[in-house]
Amino acid sequence: MNCQTLCSASKFSSCLTPLPAPACPDSREAELTRLRAENAEQAAQIAKLLAHIQELEARLAKDSHNSSKPPSSDLPFKKPPPKSRRQRSGKPPGGQAGHPGATRALVGTPEQTVIVPLEGACACGRDRAELDVEVLPERPALLRSRFECV
């Protein structure tokens, strides 16, 4: 594609007029007049294009927060502003140093032992028959579970 084809296919073809072929100037005055007219025409084109750029930038700056556009039309890479204004304390999350822990006390002898048969291998590759697992129920009755292969 040549320049003339690109310019005519553009939506700015109305403001981009092709330059006249330079004729042999008769005098310096004629050339100076022609250059001043060309300069004024280019300044008008530049002003028109700058106004169009500002309009496009204003359209790009709109999102669902400052216009009537739906939230689905928002750009995905725009991060929303933080919702919480709470200041961080600087402490790490979780229990702090010196905090007394609360764990369940272990019991010496269970009231009942339940054998749960298991088959096959674990995800780690060990045979489930080798595992000895103790399950603690949530109720006060004592129960010990041992898993064995059948």
Side-chain angles (χ1 to χ4, degrees), residues 56-126:
L56 292 176
E57 285 177 346
R59 199 183 311 168
L60 257 181
K62 290 184 179 179
D63 62 2
S64 64
H65 295 91
N66 56 13
S67 70
S68 61
K69 294 174 73 173
S72 61
S73 68
D74 287 347
L75 297 175
F77 54 84
K78 272 194 151 179
K79 185 178 177 184
K83 301 212 184 285
S84 174
R85 294 181 182 222
R86 188 178 68 109
Q87 298 293 324
R88 294 201 174 262
S89 66
K91 296 179 183 179
Q96 302 301 311
H99 181 269
T103 57
R104 250 177 118 171
L106 297 177
V107 183
T109 56
E111 296 173 356
Q112 182 183 7
T113 300
V114 176
I115 297 176
V116 180
L118 292 177
E119 299 171 354
C122 287
C124 66
R126 289 182 54 191

Side-chain angles (χ1 to χ4, degrees), residues 11 18 23 27 35 37 46 64-65 70 77 88 94 118 120 125 128 130 140:
K11 71 185 261 183
S27 67
L35 289 176
I46 289 172
S64 64
H65 295 91
F77 54 84
R88 294 201 174 262
L118 292 177
R128 288 190 177 138
E130 298 172 1

Side-chain angles (χ1 to χ4, degrees), residues 15-20 34-50:
C15 66
L16 296 176
T17 56
L19 297 175
R34 183 187 62 80
L35 289 176
R36 285 184 178 157
E38 186 178 311
N39 190 6
E41 183 181 333
Q42 288 176 351
Q45 288 176 355
I46 289 172
K48 188 174 182 179
L49 292 173
L50 284 175

